[in-house]
Amino acid sequence: MWVFYLISLPLTLGMVLMTLRYFAGPEVPRYVLFTVGYTWFCSLSIIILVPADIWTTISNPPHHNENGGISVLWSLSYWSTFLLTWAVVPLIQGFEDAGDFTVTERLRTSVHANLLFYLIVGSIGLFGLILLITMHKIRGVLGFAMACSNTFGLVTGAFLLGFGLSEIPKSCWKNADWTTRQKVLSHKIAKMAVKLDDAHQDLSNAIVVAQATSNQMSKRDPLRPYMNVIDDMLTQMFKEDPFFKPQGGRLGENDMDYDTDEKSMATLRRHLRRAREEYYRYKSEYMTYVMEALELEDTIKNYDRRSSTGWKYISSFRPARTGKIGALLDTVEFVWKCILRKQIQKLLAIILGTMSAAILLAEATLLPSGVDLSLFSILVNSVKSEEVFVQ
């Protein structure tokens, strides 16, 4: 059992760290990284727990120590996910989204926003519960609540699973076709360009409003210290990206009402920060699609000119490699990008499509007794005496 843990645990941690590295922004605080990483680890812990639980169940059911250990791990994963979902993550999300100038005020804003949400949801739930009790429609309130919870989980899981079962194999197969992928990238680039232009406009407006508010505020104004924080934020922004030029920024009717109190200044700071984050997020996505389109165009050109280039990959936006090692790397890159990657994507699509069909068949034949058409059940039962093969 410990051999499997030694393999699956580093694998899961590696998946979480790679995902964090890919998605996390450069200015994300460490406690946010840790919280998100632990949240994803709890979600992905099924990779560790399910195979171990299956082996423990079919190999030696009376062995209480193993079952007890698995039960503790399941409980830890469940309650960690529960607390993170309903308390910790929303609180941190509201705290990071708040534009207040002190930790206490940001925390208070987050608590207030979350309490308001839970009060609204709780009031609706309480009203429905009282209505059902007065109509004598249910006898066991706890059982009814558990049934509602399970139904919600099953329906949501079914919708998400159904989307993934069809979309993932289909997207893998479509991406293997260069012409189709070019059309998809062209559409995404055009769509993202519109979003990027709107985000640039929004950020320009926010900068113009912040600068105008700062210019009209005197140095003796009680709100000047808060405005200085926003001014420092603008200075840092232009320092990090000196090529950004606000264009088309204009003032609206109510854009000069931010200098009335501390809360309005916090709103201005929040608006500026969210506009900045949205702009750079869209810019990053736009550049990612553009670079992928350029690389795909290079791949098609290299494949068409493979005879004249000697089966070497020549990039249009990267310096040419030199020496024997450079020529070898160009050949390896050509083989991978122009030949192997396309075939591997198609093979992966076929494998994932087969798995999707096997899952749907297993789900459809779950209720009939004496009929086992689940590929996974057949595989597990055929090697149930071997721990490594089961897991």
Side-chain angles (χ1 to χ4, degrees), residues 217-284:
M217 188 178 294
S218 66
K219 294 182 179 180
R220 297 181 180 180
D221 195 300
L223 299 176
R224 190 67 217 186
Y226 305 120
M227 193 67 238
N228 290 336
V229 174
I230 299 176
D231 288 340
D232 293 339
M233 184 177 172
L234 288 172
T235 303
Q236 183 66 23
M237 186 188 305
F238 288 123
K239 185 178 179 181
E240 293 175 353
D241 188 2
F243 297 103
F244 179 84
K245 302 297 181 185
Q247 297 177 356
R250 53 184 180 270
L251 299 176
E253 296 181 359
N254 301 321
D255 285 339
M256 298 310 297
D257 296 337
Y258 287 111
D259 57 349
T260 55
D261 54 19
E262 182 181 344
K263 277 296 180 184
S264 63
M265 296 297 294
T267 303
L268 174 61
R269 184 188 180 200
R270 178 174 177 267
H271 179 211
L272 180 63
R273 188 171 61 189
R274 294 190 68 177
R276 174 180 175 271
E277 291 174 352
E278 188 176 65
Y279 169 73
Y280 285 106
R281 181 170 63 251
Y282 286 140
K283 182 180 179 181
S284 176

Side-chain angles (χ1 to χ4, degrees), residues 35-49:
T35 304
V36 174
Y38 184 65
T39 304
W40 285 349
F41 178 77
C42 290
S43 301
L44 293 173
S45 62
I46 58 173
I47 297 175
I48 305 172
L49 296 178

